[in-house]
Amino acid sequence: MAAASAGTRVGEVAASEVVAASAARGRELLRRRDAFVAQLSPFDRQARLCLRHDVLDATVEGYLDYVGNQVVDWSDDELAALKHIVAEIDGLFGGWSFQLPQTVLLVKTSGQEEGRAAYTRGEDTIVVPAGKAETLRMPSPDSDPLYSAQNTRSLRDLLVHEFFHLISKNNRDLRARLYDLIGYTLMSTPVQVPSVPWPEATSPTAMPDLRITNPDTPLLDVRIRLNVPKGPYAGPAQDLVPRDLVPVLMAAGPYAGGSFFGYLRWYFLAVEDQGGGRWAPVTGDDGRPLTYLMPDRPDDDRALWDQYLEKVGRNATSELFHPDEIIAQNVVFAALLPTPGLLTGIGGVLSR
């Protein structure tokens, strides 16, 4: 494909060329059958296409066609802003060592395909929904009211976050060391959710049917050790035991309309070592996996939340369900706070 049709070069980050993809190139990128597409569940496809499960089955081909049709071109003003933002990010990352692909591509979409959230695809693509680009033209909640016009701060911070996901995907050893900082272990082999009725033992749907897949981290390949009840979490009060747990996002039921975020439930799936780097779900007497629903609010279960936050830290306030999201949020802080020693010093003075 000719360079002119591929997109516009907007700078470099860590010696990697950054290109704002044209709509034509963006459609090609999002129609790739990468690890995310391979992991899509029936719920994933139905919810992203906004097709009720009882109306029409959403196929993989239907999803790829739909997501490709959401791609739009960057405007000239947006391209100018991206050049400024990319140069700033390259400066922020200047003291760090990691590898990125030779080219990183920025794709703009309507946002309809992923609940208006930004995300990454493959190991080289960042997808920005139109609503996030709109912050360049209007005041955003985090903009300086004195400089609200042409505000680039919001989009810059979002891209720093998304760049980390690409760093994580391209630097496995670095990813493992960062996860270790917050108590998570990167696994050599991903865990598969078992094909059992879900969410109830009598449900017509199975657990793999209702799994929600994160395009930034499509595999269930991380675990954390927490003290949890020995038996089913919904049962009577029990003594706590240490277990290895894999975070998994599940839908509350088949897609029946609305945003897929409204269906999202965060569980921990108990797993046990099978040897040879393989881990499998712990099952009860009924053959169903042992899971622990993470309450929406910390106050709903202080014991579970407090020990979790003790490990992962309290800097992040959202997207706490996976170490890659937690680290990505902390990377934004690390990149934008060039003198963290000042914060420590202020804290020391105030605590005397």
Side-chain angles (χ1 to χ4, degrees), residues 17-80:
E17 183 180 45
V18 182
V19 173
S22 65
R25 179 62 174 138
R27 283 191 285 271
E28 292 180 352
L29 292 166
L30 297 197
R31 284 172 174 162
R32 291 180 298 183
R33 292 176 178 262
D34 56 10
F36 170 61
V37 172
Q39 293 295 318
L40 286 173
S41 70
F43 178 88
D44 282 325
R45 298 193 298 270
Q46 299 291 152
R48 285 169 168 89
L49 271 68
C50 297
L51 282 175
R52 284 171 39 194
H53 69 97
D54 57 346
V55 173
L56 185 68
D57 286 338
T59 64
V60 173
E61 291 74 16
Y63 168 76
L64 294 175
D65 185 59
Y66 176 80
V67 72
N69 287 334
Q70 304 311 306
V71 180
V72 296
D73 280 310
W74 296 93
S75 70
D76 290 342
D77 287 346
E78 290 167 348
L79 292 173

Side-chain angles (χ1 to χ4, degrees), residues 7-341:
T8 301
R9 185 183 188 277
V10 291
E12 290 186 358
V13 169
S16 177
E17 183 180 45
V18 182
V19 173
S22 65
R25 179 62 174 138
R27 283 191 285 271
E28 292 180 352
L29 292 166
L30 297 197
R31 284 172 174 162
R32 291 180 298 183
R33 292 176 178 262
D34 56 10
F36 170 61
V37 172
Q39 293 295 318
L40 286 173
S41 70
F43 178 88
D44 282 325
R45 298 193 298 270
Q46 299 291 152
R48 285 169 168 89
L49 271 68
C50 297
L51 282 175
R52 284 171 39 194
H53 69 97
D54 57 346
V55 173
L56 185 68
D57 286 338
T59 64
V60 173
E61 291 74 16
Y63 168 76
L64 294 175
D65 185 59
Y66 176 80
V67 72
N69 287 334
Q70 304 311 306
V71 180
V72 296
D73 280 310
W74 296 93
S75 70
D76 290 342
D77 287 346
E78 290 167 348
L79 292 173
L82 285 175
K83 291 177 181 179
H84 171 77
I85 291 170
V86 168
E88 189 175 3
I89 292 174
D90 187 46
L92 292 172
F93 287 177
W96 297 346
S97 178
F98 54 80
Q99 297 295 319
L100 282 173
Q102 183 176 353
T103 302
V104 169
L105 297 118
L106 308 179
V107 175
K108 181 184 172 185
T109 72
S110 69
Q112 301 276 358
E113 80 286 359
E114 197 66 26
R116 295 178 174 79
Y119 58 100
T120 58
R121 282 288 305 273
E123 297 180 345
D124 60 359
T125 301
I126 295 173
V127 183
V128 179
K132 302 298 184 182
E134 281 296 314
T135 61
L136 296 171
R137 289 180 282 278
M138 61 182 64
S140 61
D142 59 354
S143 66
D144 187 332
L146 296 178
Y147 300 96
S148 58
Q150 295 298 310
N151 166 55
T152 60
R153 174 180 168 182
S154 182
L155 185 55
R156 177 204 62 192
D157 294 359
L158 179 144
L159 287 176
V160 169
H161 180 115
E162 299 304 326
F163 261 104
F164 171 73
H165 289 314
L166 293 188
I167 293 168
S168 177
K169 290 180 175 183
N170 285 276
N171 300 264
R172 183 177 175 84
D173 290 344
L174 178 64
R175 179 186 182 195
R177 295 202 305 272
L178 289 170
Y179 285 8
D180 186 63
L181 292 175
I182 57 173
Y184 269 98
T185 299
L186 182 60
M187 304 158 74
S188 58
T189 303
V191 171
Q192 304 297 321
V193 294
S195 185
V196 297
W198 189 268
E200 307 295 338
T202 57
S203 297
T205 48
M207 198 171 187
D209 299 334
L210 297 179
R211 188 191 157 204
I212 297 177
T213 309
N214 181 356
D216 297 322
T217 53
L219 303 178
L220 301 179
D221 60 355
V222 295
R223 69 178 190 274
I224 189 170
R225 195 163 181 83
L226 298 173
N227 294 318
V228 292
K230 185 176 183 179
Y233 191 42
Q238 305 170 46
D239 292 334
L240 301 182
V241 296
R243 288 195 185 278
D244 290 291
L245 307 168
V246 171
V248 57
L249 301 179
M250 298 296 302
Y255 183 71
S259 170
F260 68 83
F261 288 118
Y263 294 80
L264 191 149
R265 302 292 184 273
W266 168 17
Y267 287 87
F268 280 116
L269 175 69
V271 294
E272 54 191 359
D273 190 357
Q274 302 291 297
R278 294 177 57 252
W279 291 73
V282 176
T283 56
D285 295 337
D286 59 358
R288 289 171 58 76
L290 188 60
T291 58
Y292 303 88
L293 176 64
M294 198 67 168
D296 291 339
R297 300 172 303 176
D299 286 341
D300 292 339
D301 191 320
R302 290 270 24 140
L304 184 57
W305 266 105
D306 283 348
Q307 62 170 314
Y308 185 69
L309 293 176
E310 189 65 28
K311 289 200 171 191
V312 306
R314 299 174 185 271
N315 292 339
T317 57
S318 63
E319 295 186 296
L320 295 169
F321 56 83
H322 196 280
D324 221 71
E325 301 294 351
I326 297 169
I327 296 294
Q329 293 181 75
N330 279 277
V331 162
V332 175
F333 299 145
L336 299 176
L337 293 176
T339 51

